[in-house]
Amino acid sequence: MDAARHAAVFVIQRLLQALGVMLVILVIAFAIRSSLGDPVRELTGQAASESERTALRHELGLDRSWPAQLLDYLKGAAQGDLGTSYIYKRPTVAVILDKFPASFELVLAASLIVAVLALPGGIAAAVRPRSWTAKLILSVSVLGVSVPVFLTGILLISLFSVLLGWLPAFGRGEVVSIGGWETSFLSLDGLAHLLLPALTLSSIMLPLFVRLIRSAMLDELGRDYIRTARAKGLKPPRIWLRHGLRNAMLPIVAQGALQFGNLLAFTILTETVFQWPGMGFLFLEAVTRADIPLITTYLVAVGAIFVIANTIADLLSLALDPRVTFSEADA
Amino acid sequence: MGFLTRLLLLTSLVLAVTAAGLLAPGQSFGVSPAIAAGGKTLRMAYDADPVSLDPHEQLSGATLQMSHLLFDPLLRFDTEMKLQPRLATRWEQIDERTTRFYLRPGVKFHSGRELTANDVVWTLNRLKRSPDFKALFEPFEGARVIDNLTVDLITKKPYPLVLNLATYIFPMDQAFYSGEDERGEAKDAIVKHGASFASTHVSGTGPFMVVKREQGVKLVLKRFDDYWDKQSPGNVQRIVFTPIREPATRVAALLAGDVDFIAPVPPGDLDRLRAADCCDLITMESTRILTFELNQDRVPAFKDKRVRLAVNYAINREGIVAKIMRGFATPAGQLSPDGYAGHDPALTPRYDLAKAKDLMREAGYEDGFSITMIAPNNRYAGDYRIAQAVAAMLAKINIKVDLQAMPKAQYWQRFDAREGDMLMIGWQSDTQDSANLFEFLAMTPDPKTGYGQYNAGDYSNPEVDKLTLESQTVIDSEARAELLQRVEHILYDDGAMVPLQWQHLSWGARKGVDIGAVLNQLGMPYLGDLVIE
């Protein structure tokens, strides 16, 4: 069988899996609905009478059992209607899609920072594992995970915005719109606004990748072919980069794709500190104001992102590793 | 040079170049000079932005703040909490149920139309339809056009608070909000959970017009060229309103000069802002009372007045204000804040631990008992920490408290179900009057009339009910004040609930932004009159 067909079968399988995952998410989301808070309370002033609230609750269909509400939702979903946000008063899908570019770019920028810093850092820590540089790199990177993201953000703001006045403290600044996608990358103001949040977000992933690259490299550097290469008299940098790193890349790339999805889903804290108008911030807002339709659609969207990221990670490993084929993946 | 060193050097070089590119000396991005010359721009940040542009959709502080920018009320409370003419130039009592308002001539709506008495009548009718406002306007029978610029407000019975409620009448442009929008929906529909014409379109008579609105991100307003108030010293041409939800970031944005004006300032940052050279801090007592209610349905001991008084005596309100609120609240012994008709300075906060213990012993509860306490943790300033402190203080009279704190989204469900032995609530009177406090918090709960809706303790005293109802139709202000003060005395002597403090409001502004001149106790800055140097 040809590879293209295998690939198609693989992707279709994954799509079916994705649907299953989303259905499970939906069932859970609807089952816990009533404990997410009372949207009617959020929609009415404190002095509104109980009868007004009851009427509104009925209008929203919140007085019905959760399986009935779920069934309604699925019926709507079949026609492409995933509900209307209470606070934004627009279809939930449209609200989330509006916020997607901001989060995506934040994660992309953070990933770039991780790549630029973690690769040299990880390699350095692997080739001279006992040197002080290696120890310094490892301990500094530990700092990244041990300081809460929230605090990292506030510290960066205090330093670069308040004390030095170099960078803005909040928001996305000026964005350039390209075919409906609003990007921060094409204006200086946009980039300046992006830098601190991206640094903050990268601080979570940086240590992970430094360690990952280090251990993958250590693994490869201990192998026979490296010893052979050394014996042949090749220069160390060539051995590290052309031989060691190339083979070590496989798990790193797979992890990278997985963590990219992870970052996208967990931008909530960073976005809150920087008032970054992305999906994470939107989610927190929805939870605080008990915007149940928006919470539901967000959970489904995050489920979809995870499945997609996983699929891409698998496809990447397949493409990179000649030892694995689609038929094996099928088995 | 070893490979390793080279690698490190290279990396640092890349980083340095990137950094230098972004942070070229003398340049700072997004930190444009706080106030540009010429047309003044005010960049402000609140914790949230209005959910809707419809002034009748939700009765909340955020809605009213917005209303004062885009609309104008018939009259308003000035910075001294005195009534000030706005769209009504004067008013007079015609008979005991009718108040006549004379409208200011030549007032223009944003649409270009002129304000007439018809707009006022139309607006009152819409208020009486609004799920959130209808209760407030229940005493009103309606309004009647006398001539183009004269309108009568008629109440069902003699009603002492007509003028207070006139501050809630922000005339809307009848013609603008009439008819159907492109989806075939009525333009004047009040929709709480979906799109409506009025939630995204505005024509008011206010000092500002909406230029751009990106919900949750930015609201841009510009001054209305034909604004009627030419006497106003206000020189703000443009307002850029950004919500910044995280308090620490909000303060940082002000200190960094990214915004000119913020509210609220978190208690933890008050000292920092007060000390900052760049900025001014303004705080003011608000009219919001924070209190605990004692649930008599669930705790038999709370039916005993001596136990309720013991609880009141056991709590060190001064201590809570000093330690937790850093002086950012006023200890309370009654519900009505200073300035309200029902306020009696003699009703000072109690605190006497020995007396509290005596009362517990007298009531037969020397060994105490266990109760649950519920409180929100993101609704009022210091809410959770105050609850913790109260719980610790009650332990001293052997009342063991199991405190459960939760976000406001979950809290009100629990509160409405009365699921707690001690329940925290903050209340701000919509009418700027004591009777409203008693109606909601102290009167015997009655689902039919709606009185006592937030009296989760189920405290009931026929005298309180009678006096409060009586006050609703007494026009003479002195006689009325006496009634209301009598209620406060009864509540105080009964230990009906546990008033803790009146919370304070806080604003921070860059120097040169004269925000102090346009603020009042209601927390609604009149930015139309703001002067920026």
Side-chain angles (χ1 to χ4, degrees), chain B residues 55-257:
Chain B
H56 297 165
E57 195 176 306
Q58 197 162 26
L59 174 47
S60 68
T63 298
L64 292 166
Q65 281 155 7
M66 176 196 75
S67 300
H68 278 288
L69 300 180
L70 305 178
F71 299 85
D72 254 317
L74 291 181
L75 43 158
R76 72 182 185 191
F77 288 101
D78 65 10
T79 47
E80 309 292 311
M81 292 300 284
K82 299 268 179 298
L83 287 166
Q84 185 183 40
R86 293 303 286 172
L87 295 188
T89 49
R90 60 193 177 91
W91 49 89
E92 62 184 334
Q93 184 105 23
I94 300 293
D95 60 47
E96 60 175 11
R97 287 174 45 224
T98 311
T99 313
R100 181 159 295 173
F101 290 85
Y102 298 91
L103 300 179
R104 193 176 293 278
V107 172
K108 282 229 170 71
F109 283 111
H110 298 162
S111 66
R113 279 187 63 245
E114 274 200 20
L115 168 80
T116 70
N118 285 312
D119 297 303
V120 178
V121 175
W122 187 86
T123 302
L124 182 73
N125 289 337
R126 194 167 186 264
L127 279 165
K128 285 182 72 68
R129 266 194 305 120
S130 158
D132 270 29
F133 284 87
K134 64 161 56 148
L136 206 52
F137 283 89
E138 176 55 30
F140 286 80
E141 192 175 283
R144 189 170 50 208
V145 175
I146 301 302
D147 64 37
N148 217 15
L149 290 175
T150 314
V151 61
D152 280 355
L153 294 190
I154 303 147
T155 55
K156 293 171 182 163
K157 286 185 226 163
Y159 186 60
L161 301 173
V162 172
L163 295 182
N164 290 24
L165 284 179
T167 66
Y168 283 86
I169 303 176
F170 294 86
M172 295 170 79
D173 186 342
Q174 179 184 1
F176 181 82
Y177 291 101
S178 294
E180 288 178 357
D181 63 9
E182 64 269 19
R183 291 168 305 133
E185 308 285 344
K187 285 185 179 174
D188 64 349
I190 303 171
V191 183
K192 277 193 158 289
H193 54 88
S196 69
F197 177 82
S199 69
T200 46
H201 298 77
V202 184
S203 173
T205 59
F208 295 99
M209 298 170 73
V210 176
V211 178
K212 184 170 173 241
R213 174 169 178 249
E214 201 182 331
Q215 200 181 338
V217 181
K218 199 192 255 185
L219 176 66
V220 182
L221 308 174
K222 73 164 188 156
R223 200 170 187 91
F224 175 39
D225 291 335
D226 287 332
Y227 186 49
W228 61 268
D229 191 356
K230 304 291 180 205
Q231 313 295 315
S232 166
N235 67 351
V236 174
Q237 281 301 321
R238 224 169 107 86
I239 294 180
V240 181
F241 178 111
T242 334
I244 302 183
R245 184 199 165 84
E246 178 49 42
T249 311
R250 199 157 58 237
V251 173
L254 179 70
L255 293 174

Side-chain angles (χ1 to χ4, degrees), chain A residues 34-39 41-50 52-53 56-57 59-60 84-90 99 116-117 119-121 123-125 127-128 131 133 137 150 154 157-158 160-162 165-170 173 182 188-189 191-193 195 236-237 240-241 272-275 277 281 284-285 287-290, chain B residues 3-4 6-8 11 14-15 18-19 21-23 27-31 45 47-52 57-60 130-132 134-135 191-196 199 213-218 242-246 248-249 251-253 255-256 258-259 272 378-380 408-410 412-413 415-416 425-428 430 440 453-454:
Chain A
S34 58
S35 45
L36 287 178
D38 184 4
R41 267 291 181 178
E42 290 296 314
L43 292 172
T44 49
Q46 205 168 15
S49 71
E50 202 40 57
E52 291 297 341
R53 292 216 178 93
L56 186 60
R57 193 165 286 127
E59 213 180 304
L60 297 174
T84 301
S85 156
Y86 298 152
I87 45 180
Y88 285 86
K89 301 164 185 298
R90 292 169 49 215
K99 304 286 178 185
V116 167
L117 293 179
L119 264 182
I123 296 172
V127 295
R128 296 268 191 278
S131 68
T133 350
I137 290 171
F150 199 77
I154 295 291
I157 292 176
S158 305
F160 289 104
S161 308
V162 179
W166 287 351
L167 293 166
F170 74 97
E182 297 198 319
L188 265 181
D189 186 56
L191 284 171
H193 277 83
L195 192 59
W240 296 335
L241 297 181
T272 304
V273 179
F274 290 95
Q275 189 72 24
F281 182 76
L284 200 71
E285 183 100 339
V287 168
T288 325
R289 298 199 190 174
Chain B
F3 172 75
L4 194 64
R6 234 187 300 168
L7 197 70
L8 279 175
T11 315
V14 170
L15 282 176
T18 320
L22 283 171
L23 317 169
Q27 258 184 304
S28 54
F29 301 94
V31 194
D47 49 350
D49 60 339
V51 173
S52 165
E57 195 176 306
Q58 197 162 26
L59 174 47
S60 68
S130 158
D132 270 29
K134 64 161 56 148
V191 183
K192 277 193 158 289
H193 54 88
S196 69
S199 69
R213 174 169 178 249
E214 201 182 331
Q215 200 181 338
V217 181
K218 199 192 255 185
T242 334
I244 302 183
R245 184 199 165 84
E246 178 49 42
T249 311
V251 173
L255 293 174
D258 289 358
V259 295
R272 186 170 163 215
N378 62 352
R379 178 64 189 86
Y380 311 112
K408 66 184 163 85
Q410 277 89 52
W412 296 112
Q413 276 174 309
F415 185 93
D416 285 345
I425 184 169
W427 196 264
Q428 214 162 2
D430 287 324
F440 280 98
Q453 193 183 342
Y454 287 87

Side-chain angles (χ1 to χ4, degrees), chain A residues 304-327:
Chain A
I305 289 170
F306 264 96
V307 175
I308 291 170
N310 266 303
T311 309
I312 293 176
D314 285 348
L315 288 174
L316 273 178
S317 338
L318 287 172
L320 281 176
D321 193 340
R323 287 166 304 185
V324 192
T325 65
F326 278 108
S327 37

Side-chain angles (χ1 to χ4, degrees), chain A residues 204-221:
Chain A
I204 329 168
M205 289 298 162
L206 199 55
L208 180 76
F209 276 90
V210 167
R211 266 140 214 280
L212 194 72
I213 293 168
R214 175 176 165 269
S215 68
M217 278 294 283
L218 276 177
D219 224 34
E220 291 300 325
L221 292 180

Side-chain angles (χ1 to χ4, degrees), chain A residues 65-79:
Chain A
S65 71
W66 71 262
Q69 292 185 40
L70 175 61
L71 209 66
D72 267 9
Y73 181 89
L74 290 176
K75 272 185 211 153
Q79 292 160 12

